[in-house]
């Protein structure tokens, strides 16, 4: 869509001004540019940046229904949502093969004022492609258990804190028995939540392992299964999430 | 500032046009290339809390807000001004 002809097009105005040259631009032209830029009744507004692809991807992520639902579920401004979008951006860049840029952004964040264990974990989990599923699960979990916004914020933080203990990444070389053993070892440890995730060729084996354990009633009385398949940035993914039947979060106040 | 309505997209701006727009919005550069306001004070990015260098500046829609460009500051801006 091009801007309506009746509206001043800031891109054209700037292009014309550039032809005149900065040193030759008078006050009137500067005023026209400012007026066009700040006009409130304009139908197409632009942001000018040096990394337009990343900015537009971040803006698209902000419109993702799962992200929006999660934001609504946590109910208030969270210090983490901006990093969730950046994490999802990194996953997207990685999927496009822009590995050097991913490394650069990750290193900037880890060495910045923003860096803390939660932020680092969000970036890490997002890089596995599983973050959106976790947000989806938390929204579902809130609705099903009628939990408060606060409880969901805390549950998200808990998942970030204990991720190393509860995550079961299924590698492409893992066979069904290995996956089942990994899950059963966490069940023995009575961890509050188990997150099994797989991508591409590992997806069917992760499915089969969980289905087999479920058929053998291994989860009964201990864990409730929530699972999801989806395609993210062109990759097939699976998330099998087992949460303890006794969550400790059944109060509306968390 | 209120949410930005009718946002279309982020576009690349070349240095020449960026300088013209900055001047039109009342900014200038100091000797080291940092953006300064009409009192010649360096503009501080509200997200990174650091002075905004010309090379790193993003100029945000319908406002005189300029920020240092990195994914976190862009994400913060989108959250504050574009998300519902």
């Amino acid at each position: 869509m091009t801007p309506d002809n009746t509206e001043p097009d800031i891109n054209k105005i700037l292009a014309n001004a550039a032809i005149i040259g900065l040193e030759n631009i008078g006050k009137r032209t500067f005023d026209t540019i400012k007026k066009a830029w700040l006009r409130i009744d304009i139908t197409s507004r632009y942001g000018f940046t040096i990394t337009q692809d990343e900015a537009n991807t971040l803006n698209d992520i902000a419109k993702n229904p799962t992200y929006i639902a999660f934001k609504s579920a946590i109910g208030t401004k969270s210090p983490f949502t901006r990093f969730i979008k950046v994490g999802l951006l990194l996953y997207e860049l990685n999927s496009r093969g822009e590995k050097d840029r991913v490394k650069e952004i990750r290193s900037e964040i880890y060495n910045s004022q923003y860096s803390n264990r939660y932020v680092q974990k969000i970036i890490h989990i997002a890089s596995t492609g599983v973050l959106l599923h976790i947000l989806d699960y938390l929204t579902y979990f809130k609705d099903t258990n009628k939990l408060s916004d606060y409880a969901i914020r805390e549950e998200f933080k808990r998942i970030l804190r204990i991720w190393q203990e509860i995550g079961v990444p299924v590698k492409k070389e893992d066979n069904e028995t290995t996956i089942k053993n990994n899950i059963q070892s966490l069940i023995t440890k009575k961890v509050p939540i188990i997150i099994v995730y797989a991508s591409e060729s590992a997806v069917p084996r992760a499915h089969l392992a969980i289905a087999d354990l479920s058929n053998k009633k291994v989860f009964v009385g201990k864990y409730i299964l929530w699972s999801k398949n989806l395609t993210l940035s062109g990759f097939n993914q699976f998330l099998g999430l087992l949460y303890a039947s006794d969550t400790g979060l059944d109060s509306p106040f968390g | 500032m209120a949410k930005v309505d009718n946002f279309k997209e982020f576009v690349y701006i070349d240095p020449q046009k960026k300088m013209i727009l900055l001047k039109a919005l009342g900014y200038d550069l100091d000797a080291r290339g940092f953006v300064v306001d009409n009192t010649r004070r360096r503009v501080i990015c509200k997200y990174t809390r650091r002075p905004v260098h010309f090379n790193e500046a993003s100029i945000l829609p319908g406002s005189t807000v300029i920020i240092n460009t990195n994914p976190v500051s862009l994400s913060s801006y989108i959250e504050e001004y574009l998300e519902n």
Side-chain angles (χ1 to χ4, degrees):
Chain A
M1 196 178 88
T2 54
D4 187 306
N5 287 337
T6 61
E7 288 183 356
D9 179 347
I10 188 70
N11 297 299
K12 276 187 195 158
I13 295 172
L14 285 173
N16 289 336
I19 292 167
I20 299 169
L22 182 64
E23 60 287 357
N24 299 318
I25 298 173
K27 186 179 178 309
R28 219 168 118 185
T29 306
F30 279 131
D31 286 346
T32 306
I33 294 168
K34 186 175 180 180
K35 229 168 142 182
W37 181 250
L38 296 178
R39 225 177 118 130
I40 53 167
D41 59 344
I42 207 152
T43 58
S44 296
R45 214 175 274 291
Y46 300 88
F48 286 137
T49 184
I50 46 173
T51 55
Q52 72 280 14
D53 289 342
E54 289 173 13
N56 286 320
T57 303
L58 284 165
N59 197 36
D60 288 343
I61 291 167
K63 294 173 194 157
N64 180 294
T66 303
Y67 171 78
I68 292 171
F70 174 73
K71 236 183 102 177
S72 164
I74 58 172
T76 185
K77 206 175 161 192
S78 158
F80 299 135
T81 42
R82 59 187 176 149
F83 296 104
I84 289 172
K85 288 199 295 296
V86 174
L88 296 171
L89 167 73
L90 292 182
Y91 182 75
E92 178 72 29
L93 292 174
N94 215 19
S95 310
R96 292 184 208 154
E98 296 178 35
K99 297 195 188 307
D100 289 345
R101 179 62 180 145
V102 169
K103 215 183 272 178
E104 185 183 22
I105 295 172
R106 190 179 289 162
S107 151
E108 265 176 32
I109 293 173
Y110 283 10
N111 294 308
S112 73
Q113 66 201 22
Y114 314 118
S115 188
N116 63 40
R117 64 177 171 155
Y118 292 116
V119 168
Q120 290 184 10
K121 206 58 82 177
I122 288 170
I123 299 297
H124 167 72
I125 297 172
S127 71
T128 67
V130 85
L131 184 61
L132 262 186
H133 309 318
I134 304 283
L135 304 187
D136 201 12
Y137 155 73
L138 286 168
T139 307
Y140 155 85
F141 191 58
K142 182 189 182 193
D143 292 345
T144 332
N145 293 288
K146 306 214 176 329
L147 297 171
S148 67
D149 301 349
Y150 173 79
I152 288 306
R153 288 198 296 276
E154 289 304 304
E155 181 64 357
F156 181 54
K157 281 163 76 176
R158 179 166 78 149
I159 289 174
L160 296 177
R161 276 197 307 271
I162 62 175
W163 179 257
Q164 289 312 118
E165 299 145 45
I166 62 172
V168 182
V170 178
K171 301 181 194 90
K172 61 180 175 193
E173 63 271 18
D174 288 348
N175 61 33
E176 204 184 309
T177 309
T178 310
I179 304 165
K180 285 193 281 193
N181 287 344
N182 289 341
I183 297 170
Q184 283 187 301
S185 122
L186 293 184
I187 292 174
T188 310
K189 286 182 190 161
K190 296 183 177 166
V191 295
I193 189 166
I194 300 168
I195 299 176
V196 183
Y197 55 98
S199 179
E200 293 292 277
S201 63
V203 168
R205 269 171 285 122
H207 251 301
L208 285 173
I210 288 204
D212 188 52
L213 292 175
S214 184
N215 288 339
K216 288 179 178 153
K217 306 203 183 306
V218 170
F219 308 137
V220 173
K222 297 173 190 158
Y223 290 94
I224 297 165
L225 173 65
W226 181 91
S227 67
K228 196 173 175 193
N229 285 295
L230 101 165
T231 304
L232 186 64
S233 302
F235 292 101
N236 293 323
Q237 294 187 334
F238 168 76
L239 176 82
L241 197 147
L242 295 150
Y243 59 95
S245 315
D246 177 17
T247 61
L249 287 169
D250 51 357
S251 145
F253 303 105
Chain B
M1 198 180 110
K3 296 279 179 193
V4 173
D5 291 325
N6 301 322
F7 175 71
K8 190 176 178 195
E9 62 180 334
F10 290 98
V11 292
Y12 175 76
I13 187 166
D14 67 47
Q16 194 187 7
K17 290 180 193 164
K18 190 201 276 188
M19 193 61 230
I20 293 170
L21 184 55
L22 284 174
K23 281 264 191 190
L25 297 177
Y27 297 113
D28 205 346
L29 302 185
D30 70 12
R32 292 180 60 196
F34 286 95
V35 180
V36 292
D37 64 18
N38 56 9
T39 65
R40 304 296 300 172
R41 280 208 187 106
R42 282 183 179 174
V43 173
I44 304 296
C45 168
K46 66 186 288 191
Y47 302 116
T48 63
R49 312 259 166 92
R50 292 201 311 260
V52 180
H53 193 274
F54 176 74
N55 295 343
E56 296 297 318
S58 286
I59 309 169
L60 298 164
S63 73
T64 56
V65 176
I66 57 171
I67 62 170
N68 278 315
T69 307
N70 66 48
V72 178
S73 56
L74 285 168
S75 179
S76 305
Y77 170 80
I78 290 167
E79 190 152 320
E80 191 170 357
Y81 294 104
L82 301 181
E83 288 179 29
N84 291 318

